[in-house]
């Protein structure tokens, strides 16, 4: 198998190992320190599919005294921030000392794309009110759909743009998009440690307790959610003494 596809790279155990390796040569910093000097890592987590997975990684990081930023999508088809359980998990991530950012989906506003600042400001305020936590940074969801990578401005709508020119010019970027390493393996980047500034994008759903294929990692999220919804329905019928006719 191509080493960049190695399923073993994407386990919780290996994530903990990578964090440990990272701390040898780098300091983990938040977005507030993005212009500071020295060897540092800014860790970004775009939550695309699973807040449960995000919470697991948040705990692994907290055990190593590492704080990172979790970007939340208000329009995800895979989770709903207004659900009690999801909101509680995000609350837990915050209580572990992590920050939250906005994972902004511009395609939601396809019909009214002109008001980017307004949309960003509105979504920022929703997150801040719901989770009582300041939101200082945003990232575009699926930025290549609609040329959002061309939006190079550093600050928009009162937030730092994680895709701004500053990060492109000053940071080395490494991402686990789609559950494999498209360019370099993170383990190699951390071991060589030749870059001064690292901007790492880790999507929590690609990291699981056991080594499985990227497709299985996604069906795991989807099946887990579906099962929970069916259990809720069954519990409701039971509570009200109704028949479950199949
Ligand atoms: Zn995304």
């Amino acid at each position: 198998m191509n080493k960049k596809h190695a399923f073993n790279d994407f386990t919780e155990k290996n994530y903990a190992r990578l964090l440990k390796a990272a701390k040898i040569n780098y300091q983990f910093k938040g977005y507030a320190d993005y212009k500071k000097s020295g060897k540092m890592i800014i860790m970004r987590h775009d939550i695309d599919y699973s807040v449960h997975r995000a919470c697991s990684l948040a705990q692994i990081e907290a055990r190593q005294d590492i704080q990172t930023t979790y970007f939340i999508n208000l329009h995800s088809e895979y989770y709903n921030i207004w659900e009690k359980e999801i909101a509680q998990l995000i609350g837990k991530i915050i209580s572990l000392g992590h920050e939250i950012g906005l994972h902004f989906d511009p395609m939601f506003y396809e019909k009214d794309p002109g008001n980017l600042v307004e949309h960003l400001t509105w979504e920022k305020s929703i997150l801040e009110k719901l989770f009582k936590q300041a939101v200082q940074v945003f990232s575009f969801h699926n930025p290549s759909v609609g040329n959002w990578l061309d939006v190079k401005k550093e600050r928009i709508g009162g937030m730092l743009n994680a895709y701004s020119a500053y990060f492109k010019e000053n940071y080395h970027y490494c991402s686990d998009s789609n559950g494999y390493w498209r360019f370099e393996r993170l383990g190699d980047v951390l071991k060589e440690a030749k870059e001064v500034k690292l901007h790492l994008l880790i999507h929590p759903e690609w990291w699981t307790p056991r080594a499985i294929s990227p497709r299985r990692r996604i069906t795991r999220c989807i099946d887990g959610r579906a099962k929970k919804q069916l259990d809720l329905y069954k519990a409701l019928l039971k509570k009200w003494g109704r028949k479950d006719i199949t």
Side-chain angles (χ1 to χ4, degrees), residues 44 46-48 73 103-104 139-143 163 203 205:
R44 163 180 152 205
D46 287 355
I47 311 178
D48 281 335
N73 182 354
H103 194 39
F104 181 74
S139 62
F140 286 111
H141 173 60
N142 289 339
Y163 280 111
H203 297 82
E205 37 280 334

Side-chain angles (χ1 to χ4, degrees), residues 15 28-31 41-48 57 61 67-72 99 101-104 137-143 149 161-164 167 173-177 198-204 207:
Y15 188 66
F28 280 87
K29 295 274 188 197
Y31 281 92
I41 290 175
I42 294 184
M43 177 72 89
R44 163 180 152 205
H45 297 292
D46 287 355
I47 311 178
D48 281 335
L57 292 203
E61 291 167 342
Q67 273 76 42
T68 66
T69 307
Y70 286 81
F71 289 71
I72 299 160
E99 292 191 40
L102 170 66
H103 194 39
F104 181 74
V137 57
F138 78 95
S139 62
F140 286 111
H141 173 60
N142 289 339
L149 289 172
N161 172 11
Y163 280 111
S164 63
F167 283 96
Y173 179 75
C174 186
S175 161
D176 62 354
S177 294
L198 290 177
H199 193 199
L200 306 181
L201 171 54
I202 295 293
H203 297 82
W207 300 76

Side-chain angles (χ1 to χ4, degrees), residues 94-159:
I94 294 168
S95 75
L96 291 166
H98 302 292
E99 292 191 40
I100 54 169
L102 170 66
H103 194 39
F104 181 74
D105 183 2
M107 294 311 281
F108 182 78
Y109 304 97
E110 232 178 331
K111 298 239 154 51
D112 179 22
N115 265 315
L116 181 63
V117 173
E118 204 179 295
H119 303 324
L120 280 169
T121 314
W122 183 56
E123 294 204 3
K124 169 181 156 74
S125 73
I126 291 172
L127 274 185
E128 289 183 334
K129 284 201 180 102
L130 197 54
F131 298 109
K132 297 177 180 58
Q133 170 98 336
V135 175
Q136 318 268 22
V137 57
F138 78 95
S139 62
F140 286 111
H141 173 60
N142 289 339
S144 36
V145 183
N147 298 326
W148 294 97
L149 289 172
D150 295 342
V151 180
K152 298 197 165 73
K153 232 176 130 188
E154 211 163 307
R155 296 191 66 82
I156 312 173
M159 289 176 286

Side-chain angles (χ1 to χ4, degrees), residues 18-37:
L18 288 169
L19 293 178
K20 217 170 263 175
K23 287 206 288 189
I24 296 171
N25 292 302
Y26 294 94
Q27 269 195 306
F28 280 87
K29 295 274 188 197
Y31 281 92
D33 291 331
Y34 75 112
K35 283 192 173 164
K36 289 243 164 89
S37 59

